[in-house]
Amino acid sequence: MMKLLSIILTLISFNSFACQCFHVSPEEAAKESKHVFLARIYSVEDLAKLPNAKDTDTGVRAKIEIYETIKGKPQQFEFLYSGYGHGDCGLGFTVGDRYLFITSNDKVSICGSHVKNFSPWSGEDKALYEKLKKANE
């Protein structure tokens, strides 16, 4: 009985550190966010491995190539910052991936709105793209 109780408590405490967020639709998120844009991940660097890294630096920074701005001035961001993924709410960027980002600053996570491998030329992505463009004209 004690063994079962300790296993349950271990699982509960482990889950309490996992990423938890409230998801909203991209349309709702875009209304509240300062920037909506399409970008490609150009490079990814581990913050802890940068030359001037501090012990508290964790996560990654991704150099982005913005290929369309729908709202705001995302050109001010040379990099976007995120966690590693795997429970820390990070996106786990991969060089070459294309995203629709909806954010108010240079920090992005799975809790914010983003669409990976976004293609505004076909299917559901095209419909969402057209809605966001129209709402921000």
Side-chain angles (χ1 to χ4, degrees), residues 106-125:
D106 62 353
K107 293 166 184 60
V108 295
S109 75
I110 62 171
C111 295
S113 285
H114 67 283
V115 179
K116 185 176 180 179
N117 297 323
F118 189 81
S119 174
W121 305 282
S122 63
E124 291 178 21
D125 289 352

Side-chain angles (χ1 to χ4, degrees), residues 24-36 70-71 100-104 113 128 131-132 135-136:
V24 297
S25 71
E27 296 91 343
E28 274 302 308
K31 288 178 190 175
E32 303 299 321
S33 297
K34 292 179 183 176
H35 310 284
V36 179
I70 297 172
K71 178 181 177 181
L100 163 67
F101 286 108
I102 302 172
T103 186
S104 287
S113 285
L128 175 58
K131 280 184 196 175
L132 293 174
N136 289 288

Side-chain angles (χ1 to χ4, degrees), residues 66-87:
I66 297 168
Y67 58 94
E68 184 164 355
T69 299
I70 297 172
K71 178 181 177 181
K73 298 185 186 306
Q75 294 78 6
Q76 67 186 321
F77 306 137
E78 181 178 2
F79 298 98
L80 291 179
Y81 296 86
S82 191
Y84 295 110
H86 313 294

Side-chain angles (χ1 to χ4, degrees), residues 1-118:
M1 181 68 160
M2 287 300 287
K3 188 174 182 177
L4 179 61
L5 182 60
S6 70
I7 290 171
I8 292 171
L9 290 175
T10 300
L11 290 174
I12 291 171
S13 65
F14 177 75
N15 286 337
S16 67
F17 293 108
C19 179
Q20 297 179 5
C21 37
F22 300 96
H23 290 283
V24 297
S25 71
E27 296 91 343
E28 274 302 308
K31 288 178 190 175
E32 303 299 321
S33 297
K34 292 179 183 176
H35 310 284
V36 179
F37 59 100
L38 305 176
R40 182 179 73 87
I41 304 302
Y42 187 76
S43 67
V44 180
E45 297 174 292
D46 186 330
L47 294 174
K49 294 179 181 175
L50 294 176
N52 297 326
K54 300 177 192 121
D55 290 340
T56 57
D57 290 342
T58 62
V60 296
R61 72 178 186 183
K63 189 167 184 73
I64 57 172
E65 174 186 21
I66 297 168
Y67 58 94
E68 184 164 355
T69 299
I70 297 172
K71 178 181 177 181
K73 298 185 186 306
Q75 294 78 6
Q76 67 186 321
F77 306 137
E78 181 178 2
F79 298 98
L80 291 179
Y81 296 86
S82 191
Y84 295 110
H86 313 294
D88 70 354
C89 297
L91 289 180
F93 294 122
T94 302
V95 173
D97 282 351
R98 296 177 182 270
Y99 285 85
L100 163 67
F101 286 108
I102 302 172
T103 186
S104 287
N105 54 45
D106 62 353
K107 293 166 184 60
V108 295
S109 75
I110 62 171
C111 295
S113 285
H114 67 283
V115 179
K116 185 176 180 179
N117 297 323
F118 189 81

